[in-house]
Amino acid sequence: MYTEASSNPSTTYSFYMTSNSIPSGKTVTINFWYHMYGSNMGTLRCYGHQSSTYKATIFSASGQQQSSQGAAWIKASGSYSTNSSTTNSVSFYGTTGSGYRSDMIVDSVQMKYS
């Protein structure tokens, strides 16, 4: 997932990506890599969803995370327990900052259930 912030530097944008349904009654472990370099950086979040009303924050980062464009990517991980009687999923939400220097990217997402 990549957020492009340069088309209108005075507006913030939100982007999201949601997984398919996740098996009920499991612990979900998620691993991914991300890069967030830019002086106008917004916020990146990963949520675990149980039905349409509940969400657990698995990961959250705001502001610039790397010191340069060429800096190494950061590996993140987290987990949550799914409910045994509802539809479960995982989603990423990226919200750009108010300037064009707020592109962010998520890559190599892996989910495991146990």
Side-chain angles (χ1 to χ4, degrees):
M1 178 179 87
Y2 174 74
T3 64
E4 174 57 56
S6 61
S7 64
N8 187 351
S10 63
T11 303
T12 61
Y13 295 97
S14 294
F15 302 87
Y16 69 93
M17 175 176 66
T18 302
S19 71
N20 291 330
S21 293
I22 294 173
S24 298
K26 302 285 186 179
T27 297
V28 177
T29 301
I30 187 165
N31 297 295
F32 61 95
W33 294 85
Y34 70 96
H35 201 283
M36 296 172 67
Y37 171 70
S39 58
N40 305 119
M41 189 54 61
T43 302
L44 174 64
R45 292 183 179 95
C46 179
Y47 294 115
H49 297 272
Q50 297 176 359
S51 73
S52 62
T53 59
Y54 174 80
K55 63 183 175 185
T57 301
I58 298 171
F59 170 85
S60 181
S62 294
Q64 180 172 293
Q65 301 297 304
Q66 273 86 352
S67 59
S68 69
Q69 185 176 5
W73 289 49
I74 299 170
K75 185 175 184 180
S77 63
S79 63
Y80 88 106
S81 297
T82 64
N83 188 308
S84 61
S85 63
T86 62
T87 302
N88 299 277
S89 64
V90 169
S91 62
F92 286 92
Y93 286 86
T95 303
T96 65
S98 59
Y100 68 92
R101 292 183 178 109
S102 60
D103 298 340
M104 66 185 77
I105 191 165
V106 172
D107 198 6
S108 302
V109 177
Q110 297 177 332
M111 287 192 293
K112 296 179 183 178
Y113 319 118
S114 57

